[in-house]
């Protein structure tokens, strides 16, 4: 049995900029179930981080961003929550590991104190000593060597990878129901990456946690995710079970992405495959299919009309006229 | 030209970089030995890939090599010239030739300057006075790294991670360097842009005759781009080989464990848990005695606990620092 713990419906986020409203994501609909890892992949700048940060409503909604749509967590629309209620959700029921670990950590506060602070924020009933015990525990769990010494150190004294594990520790320490991990292993070497992904998979299974994993590492997606959503220029262009996606990618963008990875083989092509062209600016979004200007299969219809995200079979959805046929 | 091709561009001899830490241990000032006795040669027009566990000292090595940090011990050579102790004033003319692309595109760009300003500033510092020229060159370089003229006026926070990394690359390229330390230049990028950037780096390698020290975690990327690869662990260079040789016959037990942990897209074998190297990475404050890998090595012998192995050339161009190969040293 699986339930939709999080359901995002028609989410749009527009930034208020000097050049007017910029819609960074548009019509985003997806869901995340208990005890599953949902991968979100897609070109840099396609809106993966904006999507996730919007779910937690991390932007200043007065000055920076306008959110539309619905974000249902356990059936309740988070967009209707007050800022105070959201504070309770963040780092509690839903927590997030950020892409840029260094700027997310407080540079003038010891690692240990930052974790303890996070715990006490959500567990006022705990004593300082209990919180410290818990903090040390989680540091050990995420594999920080000499964690007792690290507890007393400042962020700049740690390597990039170490800082990222601290971030993961902070995110997990309150036992969230949903963990949103935005490129959690980007700065890590493969051995620790394997360790962290195994940790996330284990915690997911033990706690029935739902994990939303943003990564550009398709091999990590292949090995750990259950389902995958592919984004392009603020939209979802494909969604499928992980095996289905890799064995039968339907969207030309998904296929191009897969061809761009260097293969682990001895023959090296002179150059890697590159999807032609560049991502258009948000202010110059094409009117038809957003991928059409770069797509080798694009027809007149693709340039004029926007394909919907439609189901091919068994939950495999794609936003492409050619694939839908 | 042929001669130039094999010319050693950058070289380190017994390079060491230690960081003192606040804490005293047994009354002694404790140190993190971030780079330990590394001797390495990087040739003209070569890509040298550097891999190894987080915190093993790759970035510190790259920075020390460029003298962005002063080494604790050892020598650094540029085209055979000892540049270890050149005063910063004299070093400036080399600085232009030796550039770096940073790991973290978020903190390495000044948030208060537009992309164009960030690039122009580099030129201004190097004494280019003509404003128009600076702007033209900046626009040209933006194009070279796949950004648009409109991006010139944008500020770092308005860019996505991948776009910011391109600005970092543009900034390194704008002074026509000979050697670039690329510290995880593609880690923050999605695969389609990653392939563009890698192609771009390879293209620039050919057209501008660049050499790179390419630090990355993604083994498939390192394998693709590198001519030779070095494997680091806890401050030491454990193994070094031509790329093909390293993958065909990895020698060091750590290298073998590292390669086994590489994720793959392969649904035939079903979902497997990736193989983990056993044990924990020791604290760099208290590195193990003898070979620093012995605490996690399945093949450790008594000698490994006592004596730090020397780097030996086992096959041509394939060096390893491991007692398992004590007998096999290539007779030179
Ligand atoms: N604060 C902001 N103000 C204006 N535009 C923004 C802001 N934050 C993000 N954007 C824009 O929104 C779009 C989506 O950005 P986002 O950071 O979500 O991309 P991403 O998919 O996470 O990319 P990456 O893989 O590089 O992290 C980009 O075009 C970006 O320039
Ligand atoms: N400024 C500093 N002061 C004290 N210790 C430092 C400093 N910079 C780095 N270190 C330590 O030196 C060691 C090597 O760090 P370095 O950043 O070079 O590793 P790395 O291999 O680049 O790691 P990563 O893959 O995570 O980027 C680590 O133990 C780190 O904590
Ligand atoms: Mg992002
Ligand atoms: Mg580093």
């Amino acid at each position: 049995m699986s339930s939709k713990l999080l359901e995002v419906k028609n989410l749009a986020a527009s930034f208020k900029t000097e050049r007017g409203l910029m819609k960074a994501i548009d019509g985003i609909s997806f869901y995340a179930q208990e005890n599953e890892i949902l991968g979100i992949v897609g070109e840099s700048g396609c809106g993966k981080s904006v999507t996730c940060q919007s779910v937690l409503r991390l932007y200043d909604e007065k000055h920076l961003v306008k959110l539309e749509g619905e974000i249902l967590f356990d059936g309740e629309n988070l967009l209707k929550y007050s800022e105070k209620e959201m504070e309770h959700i963040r780092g509690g029921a839903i927590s997030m590991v950020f892409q840029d670990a260094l700027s997310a950590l407080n540079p003038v506060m010891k690692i240990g104190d930052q974790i303890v602070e996070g715990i006490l924020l959500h567990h006022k009933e705990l004593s300082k000593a209990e919180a410290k015990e818990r903090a040390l525990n989680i540091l050990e769990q995420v594999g920080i060597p000499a964690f007792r010494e690290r507890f007393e150190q400042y962020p700049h004294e740690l390597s990039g990878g170490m800082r990222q594990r601290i971030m993961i520790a902070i995110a997990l320490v309150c036992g969230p129901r949903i963990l949103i991990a935005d490129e959690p292993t980007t700065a890590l070497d493969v051995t620790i990456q394997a360790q962290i992904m195994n940790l996330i998979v284990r915690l997911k299974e033990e706690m029935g946690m739902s994990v939303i994993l943003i990564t550009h590492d398709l091999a990590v997606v292949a090995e750990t995710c259950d389902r995958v959503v592919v984004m392009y220029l603020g939209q979802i262009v494909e969604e499928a079970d992980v095996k289905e996606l890799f064995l039968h990618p339907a969207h030309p963008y998904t296929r191009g992405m897969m061809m761009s990875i260097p293969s682990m083989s001895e023959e090296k092509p002179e150059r890697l495959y590159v999807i032609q062209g560049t991502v258009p600016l948000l202010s110059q979004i094409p009117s038809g299919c957003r991928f059409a200007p770069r797509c080798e299969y694009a027809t007149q219809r693709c340039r004029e009309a926007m394909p919907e995200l439609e189901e091919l079979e068994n939950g495999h959805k794609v936003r492409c006229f050619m694939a839908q046929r | 030209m042929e001669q130039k091709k094999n010319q050693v561009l950058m070289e380190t001899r017994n390079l060491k970089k230690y960081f003192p830490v606040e804490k005293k241990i047994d009354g002694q000032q404790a140190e993190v030995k971030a780079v330990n006795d590394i001797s390495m040669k990087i040739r003209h027009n070569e890509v040298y890939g550097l891999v190894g566990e987080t915190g093993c000292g790759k970035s510190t090595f790259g920075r020390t090599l460029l003298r962005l940090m002063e080494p604790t011990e050892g020598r650094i050579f540029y085209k055979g010239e000892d540049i270890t102790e050149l005063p910063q004033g004299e070093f400036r003319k080399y600085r232009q030739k030796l550039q770096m692309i940073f790991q973290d595109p978020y903190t390495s760009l000044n948030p208060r300057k537009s992309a164009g300003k960030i690039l122009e500033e580099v030129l201004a510092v190097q004494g280019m006075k003509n404003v128009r020229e600076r702007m033209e060159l900046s626009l040209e370089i933006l194009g070279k790294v796949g950004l648009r003229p409109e991006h010139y006026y944008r500020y770092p926070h308005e860019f996505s991670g991948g776009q910011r990394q391109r600005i970092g690359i543009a900034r390194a390229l704008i002074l026509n360097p000979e050697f670039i330390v690329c510290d995880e230049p593609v880690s923050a990028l999605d695969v389609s842009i990653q392939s563009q950037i890698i192609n771009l780096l390879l293209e620039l390698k050919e057209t501008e005759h660049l050499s790179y020290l390419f630090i990355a975690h993604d083994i498939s990327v390192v394998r693709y781009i590198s001519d030779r690869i070095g494997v680091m662990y806890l401050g030491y260079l454990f193994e070094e080989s031509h790329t093909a040789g390293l993958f065909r016959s990895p020698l060091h037990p750590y290298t073998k464990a590292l390669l086994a942990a590489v994720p793959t897209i392969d649904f035939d074998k079903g979902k497997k848990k990736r193989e983990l190297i056993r044990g924990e990475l020791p604290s760099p404050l208290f590195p193990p005695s003898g070979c620093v890998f012995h605490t996690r090595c399945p093949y450790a012998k008594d000698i490994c606990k006592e004596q730090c192995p020397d780097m030996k050339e086992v096959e041509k161009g394939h060096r390893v620092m491991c007692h398992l190969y004590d007998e096999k040293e290539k007779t030179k």
Side-chain angles (χ1 to χ4, degrees), chain A residues 19 44 99 145 149 159 161 186-189 193 216 223 225 257 266 268-273 278, chain B residues 23 53-54 106 148 158 160 162 187 189-191 195 199 206 217 223-224 226 248 264 267 271 274 281:
Chain A
R19 294 171 304 278
S44 184
Q99 197 166 3
E149 283 79 23
S159 73
T186 298
L188 309 186
D189 64 277
Q193 181 190 66
H216 56 81
E223 285 201 349
C225 292
M257 194 166 63
E266 212 160 290
K268 296 182 184 181
E270 182 87 355
R271 290 286 184 265
L272 292 173
Y273 178 84
T278 52
Chain B
K23 241 167 73 178
E53 206 142 353
T54 297
Y106 297 91
R148 294 153 170 266
E158 295 177 81
S160 72
S187 298
L189 310 185
D190 64 280
V191 288
S195 69
N199 284 358
E206 283 156 25
H217 287 128
R223 179 178 195 171
Y224 176 74
S226 307
R248 213 173 292 146
T264 51
F267 290 94
K271 273 206 178 173
R274 267 188 280 161
L281 183 66

Side-chain angles (χ1 to χ4, degrees), chain B residues 35-317:
Chain B
V35 172
N36 224 326
D37 215 15
I38 293 192
S39 299
M40 181 192 289
K41 289 175 181 162
I42 300 170
R43 301 201 176 85
H44 178 75
N45 212 214
E46 173 176 68
V47 182
Y48 190 108
L50 194 57
V51 297
E53 206 142 353
T54 297
C56 70
K58 303 178 297 295
S59 298
T60 305
F61 177 76
R63 282 168 202 223
T64 313
L65 180 62
L66 298 187
R67 284 195 56 199
L68 296 171
M69 287 172 168
E70 296 302 334
T72 308
E73 249 185 81
R75 317 297 310 174
I76 305 164
F77 299 85
Y78 165 73
K79 293 186 178 166
E81 185 186 346
D82 190 334
I83 57 165
T84 325
E85 273 154 21
L86 280 185
Q88 284 296 340
E90 261 176 80
F91 188 67
R92 254 188 61 183
K93 64 172 192 263
Y94 298 97
R95 169 72 50 238
Q96 186 178 345
K97 297 284 165 211
L98 310 175
Q99 290 290 324
M100 176 135 185
I101 301 169
F102 290 92
Q103 179 170 11
D104 193 339
Y106 297 91
T107 50
S108 61
L109 299 175
N110 185 338
R112 277 177 289 278
K113 298 214 164 87
S114 69
K117 274 282 160 300
I118 287 171
L119 296 177
E120 286 189 21
E121 198 172 77
V122 179
L123 296 172
V125 168
Q126 284 297 326
M128 188 185 277
K129 295 218 170 60
N130 187 323
V131 179
R132 218 198 137 73
E133 224 176 296
R134 287 206 306 247
M135 180 159 180
E136 271 166 15
L137 202 60
S138 301
L139 282 169
E140 185 190 319
I141 214 87
L142 279 180
K144 253 193 195 171
V145 299
L147 291 171
R148 294 153 170 266
E150 300 94 299
H151 289 127
Y152 184 91
Y153 294 104
R154 300 272 169 97
Y155 288 82
H157 75 271
E158 295 177 81
F159 289 105
S160 72
Q163 292 166 326
R164 281 186 240 192
Q165 194 56 289
R166 286 173 185 240
I167 301 171
I169 293 175
R171 182 173 59 183
L173 282 178
I174 200 162
L175 291 174
N176 285 320
E178 283 182 78
F179 175 68
I180 304 181
V181 172
C182 308
D183 194 351
E184 308 199 30
V186 294
S187 298
L189 310 185
D190 64 280
V191 288
S192 47
I193 299 181
Q194 174 179 291
S195 69
Q196 288 174 22
I197 298 270
I198 290 169
N199 284 358
L200 175 70
L201 288 171
L202 282 174
E203 220 166 275
L204 292 162
K205 176 198 167 198
E206 283 156 25
T207 56
E208 326 282 317
H209 309 292
L210 293 173
S211 310
Y212 306 121
L213 177 71
F214 190 92
I215 301 171
H217 287 128
D218 189 326
I219 304 281
S220 62
V221 167
V222 173
R223 179 178 195 171
Y224 176 74
I225 199 170
S226 307
D227 301 304
R228 287 193 300 145
I229 294 177
V231 181
M232 274 183 80
Y233 184 86
L234 226 55
Y236 289 92
L237 186 64
F238 266 5
E239 183 163 359
E240 179 189 81
S241 167
H242 294 283
T243 301
L246 191 80
F247 286 90
R248 213 173 292 146
S249 52
L251 298 176
H252 202 289
Y254 173 65
T255 311
K256 291 180 189 173
L258 184 73
L259 297 186
V262 175
T264 51
I265 298 173
D266 183 355
F267 290 94
D268 292 340
K269 53 178 197 239
K271 273 206 178 173
K272 57 145 202 190
K273 276 223 165 117
R274 267 188 280 161
E275 201 122 346
L276 290 188
I277 184 169
R278 63 170 197 174
E280 283 301 328
L281 183 66
S283 159
L285 284 173
F286 311 99
S289 62
C291 170
V292 289
F293 189 59
H294 86 253
T295 51
R296 306 171 81 185
C297 181
Y299 310 102
K301 304 180 286 186
D302 286 341
I303 187 175
C304 305
K305 294 175 191 139
E306 287 147 23
Q307 204 182 322
C308 182
D310 292 325
M311 191 69 152
K312 296 169 281 282
E313 186 166 25
V314 173
E315 286 154 40
K316 189 169 169 11

